[in-house]
Amino acid sequence: MRDHPPEMLDTSRETVPAAPDAPAEEPRGCLFALSQPPLMIFLGVIGCLLLLAAVNDLFVR
């Protein structure tokens, strides 16, 4: 281990070009988050609970 010099870190500020066949990374926004099934199930359950509470307040008492 002492015979080998320590490896140097690459601290250059040059940007490495992306591979030409790599797809461009698109930003993911709010619509991507809403398209996830667990989130939609959670929001659906919360919406049903709010609807049931509103119906209970308006018509049951």
Side-chain angles (χ1 to χ4, degrees), residues 1-59:
M1 188 117 192
R2 291 183 165 213
D3 297 333
H4 300 290
E7 293 185 27
M8 296 183 65
L9 297 175
D10 183 16
T11 58
S12 63
R13 296 188 181 213
E14 298 174 9
T15 59
V16 179
D21 59 346
E25 196 170 314
E26 296 181 10
R28 294 183 176 177
C30 191
L31 290 179
F32 175 78
L34 286 177
S35 69
Q36 302 303 309
L39 178 63
M40 291 307 294
I41 292 170
F42 173 74
L43 292 176
V45 169
I46 297 299
C48 287
L49 290 175
L50 288 173
L51 180 66
L52 287 174
V55 168
N56 184 33
D57 284 345
L58 290 174
F59 300 116

